[in-house]
């Protein structure tokens, strides 16, 4: 009888330990970190680095294409895209590069992920019948809902809206979707033809949007003149942040403080490199410098910037509302 009780006790402790391990949350970075993708190892890999470009660390170490990484609101998880199971789909990975797992059970072409501000949902693009559609999924249930045609979604800090791209034959524009009502509006001031705007990124306070824009027509003839702009959420107070150059500047990413932007631009050796520019400054800082001649795609792209000083507490808050989180961010 005593032996049987000891065995049951051991089994109980083992189960308890196993449960505590499976529900344990990964640790968020203790210092600010930028997520980016680089092909310096011969294929797409997800990296982290400090905001000054130091300590660049490969997280994925996989022969697949791993890219488009995004920090969760608390910094405890990273959402990224990988084709390691044969088709590009969404995966989670811990900030130290461990515990890679698929988001959904059944693979399909999902990409361009963005988190809801409360971390309970994600939005992303899916390819279907030659088109891209934006979906929203609740992480707890994995239930997916198709929202609208488009791509490159970015969720507003208050959780109420998603900015995204729509494309036509001769132009590309940014629309803003009200998540609750489903209504859409064009992000631009009246009387201005957007021509070729893309890659919207909400500021941390939600009052501005950064984007890349080629304002010259026809867009294809002047595609290398595309550069980075910032405007109010209604399209007013347009400001050019990065000067036009011989190569285009794309894909802006905000600093958590809202005082700087990351973007990528190709340099003279045809490598795409990540640059940082402080708002109000004319001098960008190049953060990546790895030029591997044998690399196939020659690319470094920034995707997200996390700072624990501007994040939610790292313990889960089941009763936390998206709107509350947005108000905290504004403060």
């Amino acid at each position: 009888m005593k032996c049987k009780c000891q065995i049951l006790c051991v089994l109980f402790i083992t189960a308890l330990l196993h449960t505590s391990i499976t529900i344990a949350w990964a640790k968020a970075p203790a210092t600010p970190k930028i997520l980016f993708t680089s092909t310096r190892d011969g294929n797409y890999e997800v990296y982290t680095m400090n905001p000054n470009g130091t300590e660049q660390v490969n997280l994925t170490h996989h022969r697949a294409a791993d890219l488009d990484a995004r920090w969760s609101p608390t910094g405890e998880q990273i959402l990224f895209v990988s084709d390691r199971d044969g088709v590009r789909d969404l995966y989670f990975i811990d900030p130290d590069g461990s515990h890679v797992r698929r988001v959904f059970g059944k693979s399909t072409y999902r990409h361009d992920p963005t988190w809801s501000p409360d971390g309970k949902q994600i939005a992303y693009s899916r390819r279907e019948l030659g088109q891209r559609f934006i979906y929203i999924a609740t992480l707890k249930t994995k239930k997916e809902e198709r929202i609208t045609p488009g791509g490159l979604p970015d969720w507003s800090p208050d959780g109420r809206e998603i900015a995204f791209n729509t494309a036509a034959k001769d132009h590309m524009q940014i629309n803003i979707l009200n998540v609750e009502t489903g209504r859409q509006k064009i992000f631009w001031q009246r009387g201005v033809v957007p021509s070729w705007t893309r890659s919207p990124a909400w500021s941390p306070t939600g009052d501005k949007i950064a984007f890349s824009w080629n304002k010259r027509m026809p867009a294809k003839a002047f595609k290398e003149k595309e550069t980075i702009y910032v405007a109010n959420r209604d399209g007013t107070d347009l400001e050019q942040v990065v000067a036009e150059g011989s190569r285009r500047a794309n894909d802006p990413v905000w600093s958590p403080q809202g005082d700087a932007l990351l973007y990528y631009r190709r340099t003279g050796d045809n490598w795409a490199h990540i640059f940082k520019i402080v708002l109000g400054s004319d001098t960008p800082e190049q953060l990546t410098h790895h030029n591997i001649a044998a690399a196939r795609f020659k690319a470094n792209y920034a995707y997200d910037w996390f700072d624990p000083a501007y994040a939610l507490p790292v313990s889960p808050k089941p009763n936390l509302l998206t709107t509350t989180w947005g108000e905290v961010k504004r403060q």
Side-chain angles (χ1 to χ4, degrees):
M1 184 69 178
K2 182 178 180 180
C3 181
K4 186 176 181 180
C5 289
Q6 289 175 336
I7 292 172
L8 290 173
C9 184
V10 169
L11 290 174
F12 175 76
I13 292 172
T14 302
L16 184 63
L17 288 172
H18 178 70
T19 302
S20 65
I21 290 172
T22 55
I23 65 174
W25 286 67
K27 289 185 178 180
T31 59
K33 294 291 181 181
I34 291 170
L35 279 171
F36 70 102
T37 298
S38 180
T39 61
R40 67 190 63 174
D41 292 327
N43 67 324
Y44 292 101
E45 301 276 13
V46 174
Y47 285 73
T48 60
M49 66 177 169
N50 294 330
N52 63 359
T54 60
E55 296 184 26
Q56 298 184 14
V57 178
N58 185 342
L59 294 185
T60 46
H61 295 286
H62 198 280
R63 63 181 180 274
D66 299 319
L67 62 162
D68 290 11
R70 301 288 190 276
W71 292 108
S72 68
T74 62
E76 295 162 315
Q77 294 186 85
I78 295 169
L79 181 64
F80 73 105
V81 175
S82 179
D83 63 359
R84 59 187 60 200
D85 287 330
V87 61
R88 287 194 179 183
D89 205 352
L90 303 181
Y91 290 76
F92 290 126
I93 187 172
D94 289 351
D96 62 358
S98 64
H99 196 199
V100 178
R101 62 274 188 201
R102 286 170 55 173
V103 176
F104 299 96
K106 185 178 180 181
S107 290
T108 189
Y109 200 118
R110 302 179 181 94
H111 55 121
D112 302 336
T114 181
W115 292 83
S116 67
D118 61 4
K120 296 178 181 179
Q121 295 178 297
I122 57 174
Y124 48 91
S125 302
R126 277 184 58 171
R127 286 190 183 178
E128 297 175 345
L129 303 175
Q131 278 190 285
R132 287 198 301 176
F133 293 90
I134 292 175
Y135 277 73
I136 290 178
T138 301
L139 291 176
K140 185 176 181 179
T141 63
K142 303 298 190 295
K143 182 180 178 180
E144 299 182 87
E145 181 183 2
R146 192 166 81 177
I147 303 301
T148 183
L152 296 174
D154 192 54
W155 215 310
S156 67
D158 62 9
R160 296 187 176 97
E161 296 175 305
I162 292 175
F164 66 99
N165 272 141
T166 62
K169 183 177 180 180
D170 58 350
H171 74 278
M172 184 176 290
Q173 70 185 38
I174 295 169
N175 282 17
I176 298 178
L177 168 77
N178 185 301
V179 176
E180 183 176 350
T181 66
R183 294 178 180 175
Q184 297 183 28
K185 59 185 178 182
I186 297 175
F187 163 67
W188 211 251
Q189 53 190 331
R190 291 183 178 180
V192 178
V193 179
S195 67
W196 196 265
T197 55
R198 58 176 175 162
S199 304
W202 291 94
S203 67
T205 52
D207 58 338
K208 293 182 179 294
I209 294 178
F211 57 99
S212 57
W213 180 30
N214 176 9
K215 64 181 181 180
R216 300 172 183 266
M217 297 292 286
K220 289 183 178 179
F222 296 98
K223 62 181 180 180
E224 296 301 335
K225 295 302 179 182
E226 184 175 346
T227 192
I228 308 300
Y229 291 79
V230 171
N232 292 337
R233 59 184 298 136
D234 61 359
T236 60
D237 290 341
L238 182 67
E239 177 187 0
Q240 183 174 332
V241 177
V242 179
E244 290 183 358
S246 58
R247 299 293 183 92
R248 73 185 81 173
N250 296 105
D251 296 351
V253 174
W254 287 89
S255 68
Q257 300 93 322
D259 62 349
L261 289 169
L262 305 174
Y263 62 95
Y264 82 85
R265 169 173 269 167
R266 293 195 178 274
T267 53
D269 53 11
N270 205 35
W271 265 85
H273 282 295
I274 299 168
F275 292 81
K276 177 175 66 177
I277 190 164
V278 176
L279 296 182
S281 168
D282 296 326
T283 307
E285 176 187 1
Q286 186 172 334
L287 300 184
T288 57
H289 300 271
H290 291 76
N291 296 348
I292 310 301
R296 182 179 177 187
F297 299 110
K298 299 186 176 182
N300 297 281
Y301 304 114
Y303 282 105
D304 209 1
W305 191 339
F306 175 79
D307 188 336
Y310 292 84
L312 285 174
V314 293
S315 58
K317 305 285 187 182
N319 60 340
L320 186 66
L321 296 176
T322 298
T323 53
T324 303
W325 191 94
E327 291 167 3
V328 170
K329 288 281 284 186
R330 284 195 183 93
Q331 297 172 4

